Amino acid sequence: MSQMIRFVLALHNHQPIGNFTGVMEQAYQESYRPFLDVFERYPTLKIALHTSGSLMEWLASAHPEYLDRLAELVAAGKVEIIGGAYYEPILAMIPRRDRIGQIRAYTHWLEQRLDAKIRQARHSRRDHGVNFHQLHLIARNRSARQELAHPAQSVPDRKRHRHQDRPHICTTGDRPKQLFI
């Protein structure tokens, strides 16, 4: 009997804060917009998408129609929006209250603009040793007591995790999942 394989296509779009407008416009015209043009032609295909907060802000001002299209895809269940820290800081380098603030602010922005329910969060490969799943639970105003009672089920810290790649996405449901990319 063959096993079913579940493939999750999770994309990440990013432009650094303060990037040149021309560079961002070119990326939009040659990548972000054409991707949606093609993606919309495949009604059964579903993806997860993370876009950095700085890029979302630029899109909101320069191409609000892109975000309208994205919101329609979210409403249709074709795109699941992945949250995270607003400006993609190195979380281990900023105070815990700022980590939570970044996650809360971006989650709120995504929920308001895209009417998306944020159930996952992306974090950077640079965020070694940060229990991002626990931070996301706190940022979503959910109790982290369950996580503290079962630390082995939380996203592994650096001492327990020997792989080169880090978990980049974790869910905020009852049990965290990991996706190594």
Side-chain angles (χ1 to χ4, degrees):
M1 184 185 308
S2 64
Q3 286 186 348
M4 182 178 182
I5 296 176
R6 184 175 216 178
F7 177 75
V8 177
L9 180 59
L11 304 173
H12 169 64
N13 295 331
H14 172 69
Q15 291 294 324
I17 297 170
N19 202 2
F20 298 112
T21 302
V23 171
M24 294 174 78
E25 183 63 34
Q26 182 178 1
Y28 172 77
Q29 295 296 336
E30 295 179 6
S31 181
Y32 309 134
R33 184 187 46 78
F35 177 80
L36 282 191
D37 293 342
V38 172
F39 177 70
E40 288 173 328
R41 293 186 222 152
Y42 295 89
T44 59
L45 185 61
K46 296 179 180 182
I47 64 167
L49 177 66
H50 177 266
T51 304
S52 59
S54 55
L55 177 55
M56 280 292 202
E57 286 181 340
W58 181 84
L59 288 166
S61 66
H63 293 286
E65 71 282 0
Y66 175 87
L67 296 182
D68 294 340
R69 289 174 68 189
L70 195 55
E72 289 175 14
L73 293 167
V74 168
K78 289 186 47 91
V79 174
E80 180 172 352
I81 300 296
I82 300 172
Y86 206 117
Y87 296 107
E88 298 211 353
I90 300 173
L91 292 174
M93 300 295 290
I94 64 175
R96 186 173 186 267
R97 69 182 178 280
D98 294 341
R99 296 176 201 168
I100 293 168
Q102 288 250 349
I103 296 166
R104 275 190 179 142
Y106 196 42
T107 298
H108 178 75
W109 193 97
L110 293 168
E111 289 174 344
Q112 295 300 308
R113 181 56 178 90
L114 302 177
D115 198 26
K117 179 179 172 148
I118 306 304
R119 300 181 309 173
Q120 300 184 56
R122 178 194 179 276
H123 66 96
S124 163
R125 178 176 282 239
R126 305 167 299 197
D127 291 325
H128 300 289
V130 174
N131 188 331
F132 197 72
H133 177 68
Q134 184 178 358
L135 285 173
H136 198 241
L137 285 175
I138 294 167
R140 297 284 301 149
N141 294 321
R142 293 178 59 186
S143 171
R145 281 179 289 175
Q146 174 185 344
E147 295 305 306
L148 296 174
H150 305 288
Q153 293 177 353
S154 297
V155 175
D157 65 21
R158 192 171 188 170
K159 292 176 187 170
R160 291 191 308 256
H161 188 64
R162 301 278 185 227
H163 298 289
Q164 203 58 350
D165 291 335
R166 302 294 297 162
H168 282 35
I169 299 171
C170 59
T171 64
T172 57
D174 291 335
R175 293 181 176 215
K177 295 180 178 70
Q178 297 173 13
L179 174 65
F180 293 88
I181 57 175

